[in-house]
């Protein structure tokens, strides 16, 4: 039998896993799947609608060095509803908008508190 890739679980660097868990659950509607510790986790997983993302503690000094942060692209259904949900929760930056792109998608994007890029899109 041939092997195949079943899923991917990207790992996002964060300064404080507990605070990031609160952001992703309260603001973006994720659920906590696991955490290595309850009160002061350094590694945790979150899930939403069949996807899983891991959050890993990294020392704050890494942000001072200006290291590039990951950019995740989420394929979504009913992008207008998700856009309105996140807009009401105040997660957007000043220039966040839902727009059609020349490469054939409709999308919106913003950064989480640790400057990890999050883009939500659907094909036109």
């Amino acid at each position: 039998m041939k092997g195949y890739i079943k899923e991917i679980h990207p790992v996002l660097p964060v300064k404080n896993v507990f605070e990031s868990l609160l952001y992703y659950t309260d603001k973006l509607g994720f659920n906590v799947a696991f955490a290595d510790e309850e009160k002061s986790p350094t590694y945790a997983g979150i899930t939403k609608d069949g996807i899983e993302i891991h959050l890993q503690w990294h020392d704050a000094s890494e942000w001072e060095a200006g290291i590039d942060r990951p950019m995740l692209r989420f394929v979504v259904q009913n992008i207008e509803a998700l856009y309105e949900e996140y807009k009401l929760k105040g997660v957007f930056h000043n220039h966040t908008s839902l727009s059609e792109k020349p490469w054939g998608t409709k999308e919106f994007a913003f950064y989480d508190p640790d400057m990890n890029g999050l883009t939500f899109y659907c094909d036109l």
Side-chain angles (χ1 to χ4, degrees), residues 1-53:
M1 177 182 280
K2 184 178 177 179
Y4 66 97
I5 297 172
K6 183 179 172 185
E7 296 179 27
I8 185 169
H9 298 157
V11 180
L12 296 179
V14 299
K15 295 176 190 171
N16 183 306
V17 174
F18 185 79
E19 288 179 11
S20 292
L21 286 171
L22 291 176
Y23 176 82
Y24 277 89
T25 56
D26 293 349
K27 298 287 189 176
L28 303 184
F30 281 78
N31 295 305
V32 176
F34 68 87
D36 63 351
E37 294 181 27
E38 185 177 330
K39 294 182 181 180
S40 185
T42 58
Y43 195 84
I46 51 175
T47 61
K48 179 180 172 78
D49 301 330
I51 66 160
E52 184 172 318
I53 299 171

Side-chain angles (χ1 to χ4, degrees), residues 10-121:
V11 180
L12 296 179
V14 299
K15 295 176 190 171
N16 183 306
V17 174
F18 185 79
E19 288 179 11
S20 292
L21 286 171
L22 291 176
Y23 176 82
Y24 277 89
T25 56
D26 293 349
K27 298 287 189 176
L28 303 184
F30 281 78
N31 295 305
V32 176
F34 68 87
D36 63 351
E37 294 181 27
E38 185 177 330
K39 294 182 181 180
S40 185
T42 58
Y43 195 84
I46 51 175
T47 61
K48 179 180 172 78
D49 301 330
I51 66 160
E52 184 172 318
I53 299 171
H54 294 188
L55 306 170
Q56 183 177 39
W57 175 83
H58 285 250
D59 189 83
S61 64
E62 291 184 31
W63 277 258
E64 295 170 10
I67 298 172
D68 287 336
R69 297 286 164 230
M71 173 64 83
L72 301 182
R73 289 183 59 83
F74 300 87
V75 179
V76 301
Q77 292 180 341
N78 199 357
I79 195 163
E80 293 85 1
L82 188 63
Y83 177 81
E84 290 301 321
E85 176 186 337
Y86 287 172
K87 184 177 178 181
L88 290 173
K89 292 187 176 184
V91 299
F92 294 155
H93 301 284
N94 291 339
H95 301 291
T96 301
S97 65
L98 180 61
S99 59
E100 293 184 7
K101 302 297 181 185
W103 47 87
T105 63
K106 188 175 205 179
E107 58 187 66
F108 65 93
F110 56 94
Y111 293 100
D112 75 4
D114 294 294
M115 298 308 295
N116 295 302
L118 308 174
T119 300
F120 299 84
Y121 77 99

